[in-house]
Amino acid sequence: MAVTVQAALAEGSRLFREAGRAECPAADISAPALDASLFLASVLDTDRSSLLSAGPRLLSPDSYGRFLKLVERRLSGECTAYILGKKEFWGLDFFVSPAVLVPRPDTEILVEAALEHIAGRQSGKEGEGIRVLDLCTGSGAVAVSLKHECPGADLTASDISEAALAVARENARRLLKKGPSGADAIRFVKSDLFDGIACLFDLVTANPPYIPSGELADLAPEVRGEPRLALDGGKDGLDIAGRLVAQARDRLTRGGVLLVEADPRQMAALAGIFEKNGYRNIRRRRDLSGLERVIEGAVQE
Ligand code: GLN
């Protein structure tokens, strides 16, 4: 049976909408038409806009079958980014796998804040010579975006998970140019926070796991499919953030800045931890939904 692109998209959207009406949906599909078009574009090896702007076109039974298989995976609760193997962040196409948290648009605030600090230093916009560390790097979204914007910055990225580091390395390889001597654009280190890292940094960024352990079971099926290691922040969600704020104080150069992503409900407690550890200029930043999502503090000049 021959099916047109438009009919396939309509069928995919219909299946997603229908599944969303179930009493206890296996998947949390907020954008049925968007997901359908992303899957069909992936099967046809094109992008969404070319797919949607093309005139009537027939799909081969093989393509239609492959499309329906992707739709089925999504209906069973697998998240769109894992099925496609990619997620856009900071305008770049990141490779993702179930070894890493899918980069969220909210985390772009962390990149924006880091860029502001880099631009504010004498190093200028390219970040010449500024030493930056991205802890809990996961897919490398923050580190790779920063290096992409500031090729002159000296970037280190670390994670406790070797599998996550493999994904981050792959993203650096795909999205960044190698250094002049052929060295990798970013230094990757396997480390539990600062444990395996000896030097000092001018800027440290981190999106640590921050979901309270007790809330993990109530997350959407898609989020429950993400690595627990990247989400579980302990009893109040602040186990890792608290530890890293304390450790970073002695790992920052004079006037160095720490930027941490957290849940909006944790901001007051986290600000207290920054203060207790002697940070100055403590400031919170809001995400795209207007919620406090990033907190920063500087050590003494
Ligand atoms: N922002 C993620 C969520 O709310 C959590 C990410 C994290 O724990 N670092 O699902």
Side-chain angles (χ1 to χ4, degrees), residues 147-169:
K147 184 72 183 175
H148 194 265
E149 293 288 327
C150 308
D154 180 356
L155 246 299
T156 304
S158 82
D159 204 285
I160 194 169
S161 155
E162 193 61 68
L165 282 173
V167 172
R169 274 197 193 94

Side-chain angles (χ1 to χ4, degrees), residues 101 104 207-211 219 223 226 230-232 261 293:
L101 186 87
R104 313 283 205 263
N207 175 14
Y210 57 71
I211 297 186
L219 297 172
V223 185
E226 294 183 277
L231 296 169
D232 190 349
E261 177 176 328
R293 183 66 64 182

Side-chain angles (χ1 to χ4, degrees), residues 255-290:
V257 174
L258 170 65
L259 290 152
V260 183
E261 177 176 328
D263 186 288
R265 294 167 299 168
Q266 299 164 341
M267 284 298 163
L270 203 46
I273 300 176
F274 269 82
E275 268 167 40
K276 199 179 95 205
N277 282 283
Y279 288 85
R280 309 185 162 212
N281 306 333
I282 300 164
R283 172 174 168 201
R284 309 178 200 180
R285 294 176 189 248
R286 293 180 188 275
D287 65 19
L288 302 167
S289 329

Side-chain angles (χ1 to χ4, degrees), residues 159-234:
D159 204 285
I160 194 169
S161 155
E162 193 61 68
L165 282 173
V167 172
R169 274 197 193 94
E170 178 61 19
N171 279 317
R173 195 187 62 77
R174 289 186 189 188
L175 299 168
L176 300 172
K177 290 191 204 74
K178 286 213 170 212
S181 57
D184 288 338
I186 295 179
R187 199 175 304 105
F188 289 99
V189 186
K190 181 175 184 307
S191 171
D192 180 4
L193 301 181
F194 284 94
D195 284 359
I197 299 166
C199 36
L200 297 181
F201 297 91
D202 304 310
L203 185 68
V204 174
T205 57
N207 175 14
Y210 57 71
I211 297 186
S213 309
E215 292 180 15
L216 290 170
D218 301 327
L219 297 172
E222 289 77 4
V223 185
R224 273 185 272 131
E226 294 183 277
R228 192 183 170 113
L229 196 58
L231 296 169
D232 190 349

